[in-house]
PDB file of all heavy atoms in Angstrom:
ATOM      1  N   ALA A  23      92.796  87.347  93.960  1.00 32.00           N
ATOM      2  CA  ALA A  23      92.712  88.483  93.014  1.00 32.00           C
ATOM      3  C   ALA A  23      92.689  89.803  93.797  1.00 32.00           C
ATOM      4  O   ALA A  23      92.990  90.834  93.266  1.00 32.00           O
ATOM      5  CB  ALA A  23      91.488  88.379  92.134  1.00 32.00           C
ATOM      6  N   GLU A  24      92.301  89.755  95.086  1.00 35.00           N
ATOM      7  CA  GLU A  24      92.214  90.970  95.874  1.00 35.00           C
ATOM      8  C   GLU A  24      93.561  91.403  96.414  1.00 35.00           C
ATOM      9  O   GLU A  24      93.688  92.520  96.986  1.00 35.00           O
ATOM     10  CB  GLU A  24      91.265  90.753  97.009  1.00 35.00           C
ATOM     11  CG  GLU A  24      89.881  90.329  96.516  1.00 35.00           C
ATOM     12  CD  GLU A  24      88.821  90.693  97.545  1.00 35.00           C
ATOM     13  OE1 GLU A  24      89.004  91.624  98.259  1.00 35.00           O
ATOM     14  OE2 GLU A  24      87.821  89.993  97.498  1.00 35.00           O
ATOM     15  N   VAL A  25      94.624  90.640  96.298  1.00 34.00           N
ATOM     16  CA  VAL A  25      95.913  91.011  96.767  1.00 34.00           C
ATOM     17  C   VAL A  25      96.533  91.946  95.768  1.00 34.00           C
ATOM     18  O   VAL A  25      96.672  91.626  94.609  1.00 34.00           O
ATOM     19  CB  VAL A  25      96.810  89.767  96.999  1.00 34.00           C
ATOM     20  CG1 VAL A  25      98.197  90.196  97.395  1.00 34.00           C
ATOM     21  CG2 VAL A  25      96.195  88.833  98.008  1.00 34.00           C
ATOM     22  N   ALA A  26      96.940  93.126  96.245  1.00 36.00           N
ATOM     23  CA  ALA A  26      97.493  94.124  95.377  1.00 36.00           C
ATOM     24  C   ALA A  26      98.891  93.674  94.928  1.00 36.00           C
ATOM     25  O   ALA A  26      99.566  92.999  95.662  1.00 36.00           O
ATOM     26  CB  ALA A  26      97.577  95.484  96.082  1.00 36.00           C
ATOM     27  N   PRO A  27      99.353  94.094  93.745  1.00 37.00           N
ATOM     28  CA  PRO A  27     100.652  93.753  93.266  1.00 37.00           C
ATOM     29  C   PRO A  27     101.745  94.346  94.185  1.00 37.00           C
ATOM     30  O   PRO A  27     101.555  95.344  94.830  1.00 37.00           O
ATOM     31  CB  PRO A  27     100.716  94.269  91.868  1.00 37.00           C
ATOM     32  CG  PRO A  27      99.658  95.313  91.781  1.00 37.00           C
ATOM     33  CD  PRO A  27      98.601  94.948  92.790  1.00 37.00           C
ATOM     34  N   SER A  28     102.929  93.686  94.198  1.00 38.00           N
ATOM     35  CA  SER A  28     104.010  94.123  95.020  1.00 38.00           C
ATOM     36  C   SER A  28     104.497  95.497  94.468  1.00 38.00           C
ATOM     37  O   SER A  28     104.460  95.792  93.349  1.00 38.00           O
ATOM     38  CB  SER A  28     105.152  93.112  94.909  1.00 38.00           C
ATOM     39  OG  SER A  28     106.260  93.631  95.569  1.00 38.00           O
ATOM     40  N   THR A  29     105.023  96.326  95.402  1.00 43.00           N
ATOM     41  CA  THR A  29     105.539  97.607  95.060  1.00 43.00           C
ATOM     42  C   THR A  29     107.095  97.651  95.146  1.00 43.00           C
ATOM     43  O   THR A  29     107.659  98.684  95.251  1.00 43.00           O
ATOM     44  CB  THR A  29     105.004  98.677  95.978  1.00 43.00           C
ATOM     45  OG1 THR A  29     105.381  98.396  97.323  1.00 43.00           O
ATOM     46  CG2 THR A  29     103.509  98.832  95.827  1.00 43.00           C
ATOM     47  N   PRO A  45      90.559  91.286 103.258  1.00 85.00           N
ATOM     48  CA  PRO A  45      91.046  91.486 101.925  1.00 85.00           C
ATOM     49  C   PRO A  45      91.864  92.807 101.851  1.00 85.00           C
ATOM     50  O   PRO A  45      91.504  93.793 102.476  1.00 85.00           O
ATOM     51  CB  PRO A  45      89.809  91.597 101.034  1.00 85.00           C
ATOM     52  CG  PRO A  45      88.761  90.856 101.799  1.00 85.00           C
ATOM     53  CD  PRO A  45      89.066  91.102 103.254  1.00 85.00           C
ATOM     54  N   VAL A  46      92.941  92.782 101.049  1.00 85.00           N
ATOM     55  CA  VAL A  46      93.820  93.900 100.947  1.00 85.00           C
ATOM     56  C   VAL A  46      93.126  94.927 100.049  1.00 85.00           C
ATOM     57  O   VAL A  46      92.675  94.577  98.957  1.00 85.00           O
ATOM     58  CB  VAL A  46      95.210  93.520 100.398  1.00 85.00           C
ATOM     59  CG1 VAL A  46      96.060  94.704 100.157  1.00 85.00           C
ATOM     60  CG2 VAL A  46      95.824  92.477 101.288  1.00 85.00           C
ATOM     61  N   PRO A  47      93.104  96.223 100.442  1.00 83.00           N
ATOM     62  CA  PRO A  47      92.479  97.216  99.518  1.00 83.00           C
ATOM     63  C   PRO A  47      93.223  97.333  98.231  1.00 83.00           C
ATOM     64  O   PRO A  47      94.476  97.095  98.145  1.00 83.00           O
ATOM     65  CB  PRO A  47      92.685  98.530 100.352  1.00 83.00           C
ATOM     66  CG  PRO A  47      93.089  98.143 101.693  1.00 83.00           C
ATOM     67  CD  PRO A  47      93.642  96.769 101.657  1.00 83.00           C
ATOM     68  N   THR A  48      92.515  97.659  97.215  1.00 80.00           N
ATOM     69  CA  THR A  48      93.131  97.799  95.878  1.00 80.00           C
ATOM     70  C   THR A  48      93.853  99.113  95.706  1.00 80.00           C
ATOM     71  O   THR A  48      94.573  99.328  94.779  1.00 80.00           O
ATOM     72  CB  THR A  48      92.090  97.611  94.767  1.00 80.00           C
ATOM     73  OG1 THR A  48      91.053  98.577  94.966  1.00 80.00           O
ATOM     74  CG2 THR A  48      91.498  96.251  94.759  1.00 80.00           C
ATOM     75  N   ASN A  49      93.646 100.083  96.608  1.00 78.00           N
ATOM     76  CA  ASN A  49      94.345 101.368  96.520  1.00 78.00           C
ATOM     77  C   ASN A  49      95.631 101.402  97.294  1.00 78.00           C
ATOM     78  O   ASN A  49      95.927 102.371  98.043  1.00 78.00           O
ATOM     79  CB  ASN A  49      93.404 102.539  96.977  1.00 78.00           C
ATOM     80  CG  ASN A  49      92.989 102.360  98.422  1.00 78.00           C
ATOM     81  OD1 ASN A  49      93.082 101.318  99.020  1.00 78.00           O
ATOM     82  ND2 ASN A  49      92.525 103.422  99.004  1.00 78.00           N
ATOM     83  N   LYS A  50      96.442 100.361  97.149  1.00 80.00           N
ATOM     84  CA  LYS A  50      97.681 100.179  97.941  1.00 80.00           C
ATOM     85  C   LYS A  50      98.668 101.271  97.548  1.00 80.00           C
ATOM     86  O   LYS A  50      98.888 101.613  96.428  1.00 80.00           O
ATOM     87  CB  LYS A  50      98.240  98.855  97.649  1.00 80.00           C
ATOM     88  CG  LYS A  50      99.442  98.477  98.459  1.00 80.00           C
ATOM     89  CD  LYS A  50      99.786  96.991  98.144  1.00 80.00           C
ATOM     90  CE  LYS A  50     101.025  96.591  98.915  1.00 80.00           C
ATOM     91  NZ  LYS A  50     102.204  97.282  98.542  1.00 80.00           N
ATOM     92  N   MET A  51      99.257 101.870  98.623  1.00 84.00           N
ATOM     93  CA  MET A  51     100.253 102.904  98.413  1.00 84.00           C
ATOM     94  C   MET A  51     101.673 102.331  98.651  1.00 84.00           C
ATOM     95  O   MET A  51     101.794 101.265  99.266  1.00 84.00           O
ATOM     96  CB  MET A  51     100.068 104.037  99.426  1.00 84.00           C
ATOM     97  CG  MET A  51      98.738 104.730  99.309  1.00 84.00           C
ATOM     98  SD  MET A  51      98.520 106.083 100.562  1.00 84.00           S
ATOM     99  CE  MET A  51      98.197 105.045 102.001  1.00 84.00           C
ATOM    100  N   ALA A  52     102.724 103.025  98.224  1.00 87.00           N
ATOM    101  CA  ALA A  52     104.072 102.599  98.514  1.00 87.00           C
ATOM    102  C   ALA A  52     104.254 102.716 100.067  1.00 87.00           C
ATOM    103  O   ALA A  52     103.879 103.722 100.668  1.00 87.00           O
ATOM    104  CB  ALA A  52     105.083 103.468  97.829  1.00 87.00           C
ATOM    105  N   PRO A  53     104.915 101.692 100.659  1.00 90.00           N
ATOM    106  CA  PRO A  53     105.143 101.737 102.092  1.00 90.00           C
ATOM    107  C   PRO A  53     106.124 102.828 102.520  1.00 90.00           C
ATOM    108  O   PRO A  53     107.104 103.094 101.803  1.00 90.00           O
ATOM    109  CB  PRO A  53     105.664 100.303 102.432  1.00 90.00           C
ATOM    110  CG  PRO A  53     105.791  99.585 101.189  1.00 90.00           C
ATOM    111  CD  PRO A  53     105.382 100.468 100.054  1.00 90.00           C
ATOM    112  N   GLN A  70      96.049 106.959 108.160  1.00 87.00           N
ATOM    113  CA  GLN A  70      96.190 105.623 107.487  1.00 87.00           C
ATOM    114  C   GLN A  70      97.504 105.632 106.653  1.00 87.00           C
ATOM    115  O   GLN A  70      97.641 106.544 105.788  1.00 87.00           O
ATOM    116  CB  GLN A  70      95.033 105.326 106.595  1.00 87.00           C
ATOM    117  CG  GLN A  70      93.709 105.121 107.363  1.00 87.00           C
ATOM    118  CD  GLN A  70      93.698 103.791 108.064  1.00 87.00           C
ATOM    119  OE1 GLN A  70      94.205 102.773 107.578  1.00 87.00           O
ATOM    120  NE2 GLN A  70      93.137 103.790 109.258  1.00 87.00           N
ATOM    121  N   ILE A  71      98.388 104.739 106.932  1.00 92.00           N
ATOM    122  CA  ILE A  71      99.614 104.666 106.167  1.00 92.00           C
ATOM    123  C   ILE A  71      99.942 103.209 105.880  1.00 92.00           C
ATOM    124  O   ILE A  71      99.405 102.281 106.501  1.00 92.00           O
ATOM    125  CB  ILE A  71     100.794 105.303 106.895  1.00 92.00           C
ATOM    126  CG1 ILE A  71     101.082 104.578 108.266  1.00 92.00           C
ATOM    127  CG2 ILE A  71     100.578 106.809 107.142  1.00 92.00           C
ATOM    128  CD1 ILE A  71     102.383 105.017 108.944  1.00 92.00           C
ATOM    129  N   TRP A  72     100.881 102.963 104.955  1.00 93.00           N
ATOM    130  CA  TRP A  72     101.412 101.623 104.700  1.00 93.00           C
ATOM    131  C   TRP A  72     102.840 101.612 105.165  1.00 93.00           C
ATOM    132  O   TRP A  72     103.556 102.571 104.983  1.00 93.00           O
ATOM    133  CB  TRP A  72     101.426 101.402 103.156  1.00 93.00           C
ATOM    134  CG  TRP A  72     100.132 100.943 102.594  1.00 93.00           C
ATOM    135  CD1 TRP A  72      99.092 101.803 102.260  1.00 93.00           C
ATOM    136  CD2 TRP A  72      99.692  99.684 102.273  1.00 93.00           C
ATOM    137  NE1 TRP A  72      98.062 101.050 101.766  1.00 93.00           N
ATOM    138  CE2 TRP A  72      98.423  99.742 101.762  1.00 93.00           C
ATOM    139  CE3 TRP A  72     100.298  98.445 102.395  1.00 93.00           C
ATOM    140  CZ2 TRP A  72      97.686  98.637 101.345  1.00 93.00           C
ATOM    141  CZ3 TRP A  72      99.541  97.312 102.017  1.00 93.00           C
ATOM    142  CH2 TRP A  72      98.272  97.423 101.495  1.00 93.00           C
ATOM    143  N   ILE A  73     103.247 100.496 105.760  1.00 93.00           N
ATOM    144  CA  ILE A  73     104.662 100.333 106.185  1.00 93.00           C
ATOM    145  C   ILE A  73     105.116  98.962 105.752  1.00 93.00           C
ATOM    146  O   ILE A  73     104.293  98.036 105.517  1.00 93.00           O
ATOM    147  CB  ILE A  73     104.868 100.526 107.703  1.00 93.00           C
ATOM    148  CG1 ILE A  73     103.985  99.531 108.495  1.00 93.00           C
ATOM    149  CG2 ILE A  73     104.618 101.995 108.059  1.00 93.00           C
ATOM    150  CD1 ILE A  73     104.365  99.456 109.904  1.00 93.00           C
ATOM    151  N   GLN A 122     104.132  93.684 105.001  1.00 93.00           N
ATOM    152  CA  GLN A 122     103.545  94.995 104.733  1.00 93.00           C
ATOM    153  C   GLN A 122     102.190  95.042 105.409  1.00 93.00           C
ATOM    154  O   GLN A 122     101.441  94.059 105.380  1.00 93.00           O
ATOM    155  CB  GLN A 122     103.339  95.221 103.231  1.00 93.00           C
ATOM    156  CG  GLN A 122     104.628  95.328 102.469  1.00 93.00           C
ATOM    157  CD  GLN A 122     104.355  95.644 101.003  1.00 93.00           C
ATOM    158  OE1 GLN A 122     103.211  95.741 100.532  1.00 93.00           O
ATOM    159  NE2 GLN A 122     105.422  95.748 100.219  1.00 93.00           N
ATOM    160  N   VAL A 123     101.940  96.155 106.026  1.00 93.00           N
ATOM    161  CA  VAL A 123     100.657  96.365 106.715  1.00 93.00           C
ATOM    162  C   VAL A 123     100.195  97.788 106.440  1.00 93.00           C
ATOM    163  O   VAL A 123     101.062  98.699 106.230  1.00 93.00           O
ATOM    164  CB  VAL A 123     100.662  96.077 108.237  1.00 93.00           C
ATOM    165  CG1 VAL A 123     100.881  94.599 108.477  1.00 93.00           C
ATOM    166  CG2 VAL A 123     101.695  96.890 108.946  1.00 93.00           C
ATOM    167  N   ALA A 124      98.934  98.018 106.543  1.00 91.00           N
ATOM    168  CA  ALA A 124      98.413  99.359 106.493  1.00 91.00           C
ATOM    169  C   ALA A 124      97.484  99.526 107.684  1.00 91.00           C
ATOM    170  O   ALA A 124      96.827  98.560 108.142  1.00 91.00           O
ATOM    171  CB  ALA A 124      97.629  99.592 105.170  1.00 91.00           C
ATOM    172  N   GLY A 125      97.437 100.719 108.169  1.00 89.00           N
ATOM    173  CA  GLY A 125      96.535 100.969 109.269  1.00 89.00           C
ATOM    174  C   GLY A 125      96.797 102.374 109.835  1.00 89.00           C
ATOM    175  O   GLY A 125      97.506 103.222 109.249  1.00 89.00           O
ATOM    176  N   PRO A 166      93.806  95.697 109.773  1.00 88.00           N
ATOM    177  CA  PRO A 166      92.914  94.584 109.554  1.00 88.00           C
ATOM    178  C   PRO A 166      93.531  93.445 108.736  1.00 88.00           C
ATOM    179  O   PRO A 166      92.906  92.418 108.549  1.00 88.00           O
ATOM    180  CB  PRO A 166      91.738  95.177 108.768  1.00 88.00           C
ATOM    181  CG  PRO A 166      92.376  96.309 108.000  1.00 88.00           C
ATOM    182  CD  PRO A 166      93.482  96.794 108.869  1.00 88.00           C
ATOM    183  N   PHE A 167      94.750  93.569 108.247  1.00 88.00           N
ATOM    184  CA  PHE A 167      95.385  92.539 107.419  1.00 88.00           C
ATOM    185  C   PHE A 167      96.897  92.689 107.430  1.00 88.00           C
ATOM    186  O   PHE A 167      97.447  93.704 107.938  1.00 88.00           O
ATOM    187  CB  PHE A 167      94.906  92.695 105.954  1.00 88.00           C
ATOM    188  CG  PHE A 167      95.430  93.939 105.326  1.00 88.00           C
ATOM    189  CD1 PHE A 167      96.624  94.025 104.699  1.00 88.00           C
ATOM    190  CD2 PHE A 167      94.642  95.095 105.324  1.00 88.00           C
ATOM    191  CE1 PHE A 167      97.087  95.165 104.149  1.00 88.00           C
ATOM    192  CE2 PHE A 167      95.068  96.250 104.754  1.00 88.00           C
ATOM    193  CZ  PHE A 167      96.333  96.312 104.159  1.00 88.00           C
ATOM    194  N   LEU A 169     100.302  91.534 104.706  1.00 92.00           N
ATOM    195  CA  LEU A 169     100.897  90.827 103.547  1.00 92.00           C
ATOM    196  C   LEU A 169     102.304  90.351 104.052  1.00 92.00           C
ATOM    197  O   LEU A 169     103.066  91.127 104.513  1.00 92.00           O
ATOM    198  CB  LEU A 169     101.070  91.758 102.341  1.00 92.00           C
ATOM    199  CG  LEU A 169      99.805  92.269 101.681  1.00 92.00           C
ATOM    200  CD1 LEU A 169     100.157  93.316 100.641  1.00 92.00           C
ATOM    201  CD2 LEU A 169      99.102  91.084 101.033  1.00 92.00           C
TER     202      LEU A 169
END
Side-chain angles (χ1 to χ4, degrees):
E24 301 205 28
V25 176
S28 174
T29 60
V46 177
T48 56
N49 62 341
K50 186 173 180 294
M51 298 178 285
Q70 292 288 322
I71 62 170
W72 281 81
I73 59 167
Q122 292 182 1
V123 294
F167 66 87
L169 292 173

